[in-house]
Amino acid sequence: MDVSPAKVQSDASEVGRPVHPGGFLAGEAGKSDHVKAGRIVDFPVSVVLPAGGTGERTGLQTPKQFCSFLGRPLISFTIQTFERVSWIQNIVVVVAKENMDMMMDIIQRFQHKKVQVIPGGSTRHRSICNGVMALGEEERSADDKPKVVIVHDAVRPFVEEDFLHKIAVAAKEQGAAGATRPLVSTVIATTSEGYLDHSLERAKYRASEMPQGFTYDVIYQAYQRCTESDLEFGTECLHLALQYCGTNAKLIEGPPTLWKVTYKRDLAAAESIIKEMLSQSTCLLTGESTPGVRSADVFQKAFGALDMKLDVIPDLMGDNARYLLKAWNFIQVSFHSSCLSEVEDILVALDATNQALLHPPIVIWVHLKRTDEKSMALAESATIMNLASTAKLRNILLYGIEVHGSEDTDRWERSAPKVAEMASALIRDRNPALVGQLLQA
Ligand SMILES: Nc1ccn([C@@H]2O[C@H](COP(=O)(O)OP(=O)(O)OP(=O)(O)O)[C@@H](O)[C@H]2O)c(=O)n1
Ligand SMILES: O=P(O)(O)OC[C@@H](O)[C@@H](O)[C@@H](O)CO
């Protein structure tokens, strides 16, 4: 299936609630202060992200690292996770020559920092080798060279700063360190005729994952000394460190989120996790209206049941403006169709923060109508459609939910849970096809 880099359509089925992977959400910014969090790293660390593959096993024309989710290529999520780590000095992204221009465009579009792009090789080892050599280039002064190099597949977007810290410190102490995961399937050896020769005792083995860390000298020497056969057929950097530098890597079991996007199903799983992460926090703007305030408890209960955080505030004025940088999603409860101006204010404020490109927010207008109010005139429903079309160009998705008879307390109590359920579904599903629609609760 030829998927344009612009989007990956998938029927991402829930893959279960993910552990919070990686800090690619701006809200994690405070956590990247390693000093405050007790993560002291007093030596220079660089990263090599091999991204020079073609992703054949996905069956797609677009290499998986460039497949997009919610308008953003997978590799951009991975880069952002690393660039947000303050103790990482620089990131070398290794891509196939024919993809270097596209990679530069991605860096520019998503304003990635600390990133250098270099050409990859015909195999993963050759690409990683190119990345390591680039860190040691002549023009870099001796103190520019890193003490530790973290190597991480660009198609493993969900890595956490805590784990990176463990790998970096272990690599500095031991010379090499690697992430492992328990084996899910037993490993068996086959005869040349394709029959079972023997099976390995699974408890004694682990899956080697990424990130891996090395002192610069170890990984540099390992690639200087390894053979052409290693470069052509090898898949394990830790092996090169042992074989050519006598360095036994420290092995650290990592979280389940370290998995590598390899097959098409992994793209769907990655999209589902990214959506989950972007839908975690929402701000309910009740205004000063009684029904709006009354709806708070109902929404809190509904969102809480879905493990979605909901903060309730009257508006985004004053100190509450901080939510524009913090929460990714907003629900504006209002009475009159004229209150679309409140929605417009949110859209303008969100646009001004320039966050939407990296963290596309959802804005939902909940319109509480009194029985005597006529249904929105065509012009008014066209207004929300127009607003939504403009907002979508800025990666902001706007939806509407209309509730009738809200002055009738009982009726509102009955419909509020439904409204909350619809709002949480819109936030989680983020379907661009529904923007501007005025759903009826
Ligand atoms: N010549 C290569 C081959 C792979 N990689 C990178 O190494 C990582 C892990 O490799 P893999 O999952 O095998 O990626 P592909 O080789 O692209 O996948 P496939 O084998 O399905 O083609 C990926 O980020 C991939 O882009 C690389 O930098 N250079
Ligand atoms: O073999 P592939 O190119 O699919 O993926 C590379 C993986 O082998 C590698 O990332 C880990 O096993 C750690 O070495």
Side-chain angles (χ1 to χ4, degrees), residues 49-58 64-65 94 120-125 127-128 153-155 260-262:
L49 295 181
T54 55
E56 271 169 48
R57 284 170 287 182
T58 61
K64 55 194 177 185
Q65 59 272 31
V94 191
S122 57
T123 64
R124 177 169 167 272
H125 264 326
S127 293
I128 295 170
D153 296 327
V155 291
K260 178 165 68 77
V261 172
T262 303

Side-chain angles (χ1 to χ4, degrees), residues 34 73 110 153 189 209 232 251 256 305 310 327-328 348 360 369 381 392 423:
H34 59 289
F110 294 96
D153 296 327
E209 304 293 351
E232 195 60 26
L251 300 177
L310 185 81
W328 307 125
V348 168
K369 288 171 66 67
S381 49
K392 193 175 168 195

